[in-house]
Amino acid sequence: MNNFIEYKGYTGTVAFSAEDNILHGKVIGIRGLISYEGNSIEELKTDFREAVDFYLSHCAETGKEPIKPYCGNLSDIQISPNTHRIIYSYSERTKKTPSQTVEEAVKKYIYDAQSHNEAIAVY
């Protein structure tokens, strides 16, 4: 099951509120809040697209640069020199790029944590 929707490079969550009897969500991967809701999947998707379009048009009107979804470049992440060496060494032995090695390691860590019922915040 995939509880995400995408539009113009933005990804949104899909959730159900039993208390309010409504579908709702928010755009993830950005700093800021863009939320939407609907009584059906189609209404939710429409409100999601309209929310993203409104956000982008508001940014254009005010001259502000829209917050971009995460692009996959972790240039602000720092690791120890020893860990850096281990990543490159492992990558060479396994004939993978360092990026592939790090991505696989992070995915494995997150999947293992989720399988042990640890709370992993995705947004």
Side-chain angles (χ1 to χ4, degrees):
M1 179 190 314
N2 183 353
N3 290 331
F4 300 100
I5 51 180
E6 294 188 21
Y7 178 66
K8 292 187 176 180
Y10 291 87
T11 301
T13 61
V14 176
F16 174 70
S17 170
E19 182 179 325
D20 300 323
N21 199 33
I22 197 162
L23 295 163
H24 62 93
K26 65 181 180 177
V27 174
I28 60 172
I30 65 168
R31 292 184 180 114
L33 177 63
I34 303 173
S35 61
Y36 44 90
E37 61 183 43
N39 291 313
S40 69
I41 295 296
E42 284 311 310
E43 281 185 23
L44 181 79
K45 288 178 178 179
T46 298
D47 201 41
F48 167 64
R49 290 188 296 266
E50 289 174 356
V52 169
D53 286 340
F54 176 80
Y55 170 71
L56 294 173
S57 104
H58 177 72
C59 287
E61 289 172 11
T62 60
K64 293 184 180 178
E65 188 69 27
I67 299 169
K68 303 285 187 199
Y70 292 119
C71 65
N73 183 356
L74 298 174
S75 60
D76 57 340
I77 302 295
Q78 296 181 359
I79 59 174
S80 72
N82 189 50
T83 301
H84 195 175
R85 180 187 58 75
I86 291 168
I87 290 167
Y88 273 80
S89 176
Y90 180 84
S91 298
E92 285 179 15
R93 286 192 322 272
T94 59
K95 306 223 182 311
K96 296 178 183 173
T97 66
S99 293
Q100 290 170 322
T101 298
V102 170
E103 183 170 5
E104 288 175 9
V106 169
K107 284 180 179 178
K108 181 175 179 1
Y109 175 82
I110 291 171
Y111 295 147
D112 285 353
Q114 287 175 338
S115 70
H116 290 98
N117 296 323
E118 293 180 16
I120 300 293
V122 293
Y123 47 83

